[in-house]
Amino acid sequence: MNTRRSEQGDGTRVNIRTRGGSLAPGGVVGDGRYRLLAQFGIDERAGAHLWRARDGQLRRDVALTMLVGDPADGEAARAARRTLDRAAHAAKFSHGGVARVLDVLSLGNGITSSEGLLGIVVAEWTKGSDLSDLVTERPVAPATAARMVQALAEAVDSAHHSGLVLGLDHPQRLRLTPDGRLRLAFPGPLPDATLRDDVKALGAVLYLLLTGRWALPGGPPAIPAAPYSPNGRLVPARSLQPTVPAALSALAGRTIEDGGQGAIRTSSAILRVLEQAAEEEERTQLIKQVGDESVDEDGGVWTTKKPVKDAARRRKLALGVTVLAVAAVGILAWLGMMAIDFFQDDPASGPPVNVADEPTTQQADPDQGRQPPESQPPALGEPVQPASVQVYNPEGTGDHVAQAKNAIDGDPATIWRTDQYQQQLPALKSGVGLIVEFDDPINLKQLKIAADSPGTAVEVRVAEESDPSLEATRVVASTELTEVQTEIDLPKPEQAEYVIVWITKLSEDGADHVSEIGELTFVPTQP
């Protein structure tokens, strides 16, 4: 026997001894049945070494999730048994998004105590490429990322209906198949993994594809960790990659997010949003492609990518016609001036004019008949900080009253969130919002809203008191939030001391409805 020292996730080192060599290509495990070919990662949280191996009996390649540890460590042995039991239970599960479990080896059942292993999960080998390699060069296109995660989410949804936890919350356990689908290639969930962990993993995989960053603990060193704000919130994918659609950015963040009412907790909710987001992104890309082409009046296609001789000929013809038209206008103008001069110089061309009978001619106004210049929009001034903010809910108790201050604290990462509603507004009430008060009335011209809540419909209202009825307020602008940053320009400046941001439609989160606002910025005209 040969001995090798390996470090587990807790920093301890154990001896790993295998028949014929160490855990290196060419070594054998599983009582000599599986010859190691190549290592594809280490999930340090469980001391799980991920290998491709050759089954010497059936002469086929397999995926091995080898649980490394000291058999004398009772706690480690119990954790390994829990993982192996879960893997054995998953052997009955069949789905294209998960590699089929072929065998489960444990101490005394395919593994001897001298091998330095606590267990092995044997699964069919998944052809394709590493997920880690895929995101190393650059993030994946949003529509492609949505479709890839959608296939994986279908496997999670099916497994959860069967009461199974898959344990896909580590990028090196996943592989990309030749047909572009993500697959769990190295099964073996952590002993304490939950259904919620699988759902969070879907959000983390989406975030990884969109940004190249891993947002959960215990990721591989080769993949950069996702950034978090000082208050502990994940920085939205859209902030790292502006081309990421708001819907996908919000989906990734809310799926990873543990706390709060905006969190997405089920794979079925993820599937619905992914389908919509993928279709919308694909439609957008198609429109952009079609926009590169124009159709002329004869039905011919003029493409900006492949200019043709007919297009050049048409442009030359159009230029020639334009020159002729300008020349014709010039000639007509010259003939008109000649005619005027002819009649003015001929004294017999009309009756004599009695100048004394005419009213005195005034000096012509040089501006007479000139069109007034177009009115310029008023220039914007510096943002004005409100003196206070409150939740505005004239029909009852406000939503998360203590969070209202987060909407004007200067930090978009701190949020005010509505309650989570089972029905869309106005089923339960007409709306909900925030009312801000200024020390002195401002001449409001623009409102900026930082909010990762696509689909939220807002009205900007002004009021004359701090607690008005809705009927006593006046709508001065409205819009639907589609971006993380939204600028609402009022048609004309509005003098206001109290401004209400009134939500009439909530952002949809699966079967729930909830909206959040990160920051409100009020911009007046220049004094």
Side-chain angles (χ1 to χ4, degrees), residues 134 139-151 176 179-182 206 209-210 248 274 277-279 281-282 285:
L134 177 67
V140 178
T144 304
R147 290 300 186 195
M148 290 167 62
V149 179
Q150 184 180 353
L176 181 66
D179 61 354
R181 299 168 66 89
L182 283 178
L206 178 60
L209 294 173
L210 296 173
L248 285 182
L274 281 174
E279 290 181 355
E281 183 65 14
E282 289 166 354
Q285 295 302 320

Side-chain angles (χ1 to χ4, degrees), residues 301-349:
V301 176
W302 292 19
T303 172
T304 59
K305 296 180 179 179
K306 297 180 180 180
V308 294
K309 294 181 179 179
D310 287 345
R313 185 169 55 84
R314 288 190 181 96
R315 286 194 293 269
K316 291 179 180 179
L317 180 60
L319 179 61
V321 171
T322 303
V323 172
L324 290 175
V326 171
V329 170
I331 293 173
L332 291 175
W334 179 77
L335 291 175
M337 292 297 296
M338 292 293 293
I340 292 173
D341 290 342
F342 174 79
F343 286 111
Q344 284 182 343
D345 293 340
D346 185 1
S349 60

Side-chain angles (χ1 to χ4, degrees), residues 5 48 105 159 212 255 265 270 290 317 335 419 434 439 444 470 497 500:
R5 297 181 66 81
L105 308 181
T255 304
R265 297 179 173 85
I270 295 175
V290 174
L317 180 60
L335 291 175
D419 288 342
L434 298 171
D439 289 327
L444 182 65
L470 189 62
E497 183 177 0
I500 299 170

Side-chain angles (χ1 to χ4, degrees), residues 385 404-415 518-520:
Q385 178 68 20
K405 63 182 183 298
N406 295 339
I408 61 168
D409 64 354
D411 184 2
T414 60
I415 63 169
E519 193 69 21
L520 298 174

Side-chain angles (χ1 to χ4, degrees), residues 237-253:
R238 189 175 174 85
S239 297
L240 302 180
Q241 294 290 336
T243 57
V244 174
L248 285 182
S249 179
L251 175 63

Side-chain angles (χ1 to χ4, degrees), residues 226-240:
Y228 280 78
S229 63
N231 66 349
R233 294 203 65 198
L234 177 68
V235 173
R238 189 175 174 85
S239 297
L240 302 180

Side-chain angles (χ1 to χ4, degrees), residues 456-461 475-481 486-491 502 504:
T456 298
V458 298
E459 295 176 346
V460 183
R461 292 173 172 260
V475 179
V476 295
S478 62
T479 192
E480 182 171 304
L481 306 184
T486 301
E487 295 184 356
I488 306 175
D489 290 307
L490 278 60
W502 183 243
T504 59

